[in-house]
Amino acid sequence: MNTIRKRKEELQWFAVYTRPKAEQKVKERLSVAGFDTFLPMQTVVKQWSDRKKKTQVPFINSYVFVKSTQKNLAQIYPTAGVLTILKYLGNYAVVKNYEIENLRILSTNSYSLTTVYKRPTGFAKGTKITVSEGAFKGLYGNYLSNSGKDKVIIEMEALGSYVEVTLPINSLQKV
């Protein structure tokens, strides 16, 4: 029992909410302060009147993930650009390791992804799935809907958001 309590006091992932467009600076500042940080990025093509340019943008706007103990979270607040740390029912919300791993898998692939921040109407929670092959192998989540020929919605529970990934349905496996 004591071992379980000690583990809970060990390092866990938390979502730090930042000022708009300050994610990269907050990540750098927290890294310098000694925190293990993660900022999932994706490549997007931005269109200007005279050209197109590929650029890196955060996968989830205004969030940086920090691995810390709950006791050390107070040290994050004075960091310039930090607004708050995500809470749920008055306690700091712990981001599950598999959700961080999902974000790592999603951010290292350049396939068609769309982040959806609100649950689209008509969605019902489905079965737990994992991607068994291809570029997204290891991705874990809830199969919510086949929103087209080969699209699957993966739920990111900690942030209350959903990611739409285009991939073959036959690459999914029930957990």
Side-chain angles (χ1 to χ4, degrees):
M1 186 76 163
N2 288 339
T3 307
I4 293 172
R5 284 192 184 139
K6 285 182 183 177
R7 282 189 192 146
K8 287 184 180 178
E9 291 299 313
E10 290 181 7
L11 298 176
Q12 297 174 307
W13 287 102
F14 299 94
V16 176
Y17 187 68
T18 69
R19 293 189 183 282
K21 310 245 187 249
E23 302 92 348
Q24 190 65 39
K25 290 285 187 187
V26 168
K27 178 192 180 294
E28 291 169 10
R29 291 173 184 137
L30 291 173
S31 293
V32 168
F35 288 97
D36 184 7
T37 61
F38 174 56
L39 176 59
M41 302 289 280
Q42 65 180 335
T43 302
V44 296
V45 177
K46 296 219 175 181
Q47 174 72 48
W48 282 271
S49 61
D50 61 338
R51 66 185 189 282
K52 289 183 182 179
K53 183 179 177 183
K54 285 186 180 180
T55 185
Q56 289 276 29
V57 298
F59 191 73
I60 302 172
N61 292 334
S62 298
Y63 280 100
V64 173
F65 299 94
V66 176
K67 197 169 196 177
S68 174
T69 61
Q70 288 204 13
K71 290 179 183 177
N72 290 337
L73 290 178
Q75 298 171 14
I76 292 173
Y77 284 104
T79 305
V82 170
L83 294 177
T84 191
I85 300 170
L86 189 66
K87 290 185 178 183
Y88 179 72
L89 297 176
N91 297 317
Y92 292 113
V94 176
V95 180
K96 297 172 184 146
N97 286 329
Y98 77 85
E99 291 178 310
I100 294 295
E101 189 57 32
N102 280 350
L103 288 171
R104 286 189 199 281
I105 292 168
L106 291 169
S107 66
T108 58
N109 289 286
S110 59
Y111 290 88
S112 173
L113 302 174
T114 306
T115 303
V116 182
Y117 290 100
K118 293 183 181 173
R119 176 176 284 180
T121 58
F123 270 42
K125 286 190 178 186
T127 57
K128 300 279 184 193
I129 58 104
T130 186
V131 178
S132 60
E133 59 188 50
F136 294 107
K137 184 176 181 176
L139 188 68
Y140 173 83
N142 293 323
Y143 174 81
L144 296 180
S145 172
N146 180 352
S147 63
K149 185 177 178 185
D150 290 326
K151 293 184 180 181
V152 173
I153 307 294
I154 304 294
E155 179 180 15
M156 303 303 292
E157 294 176 42
L159 301 177
S161 64
Y162 301 81
V163 179
E164 184 177 278
V165 183
T166 302
L167 59 123
I169 297 299
N170 62 359
S171 69
L172 300 179
Q173 240 180 13
K174 284 186 181 180
V175 175

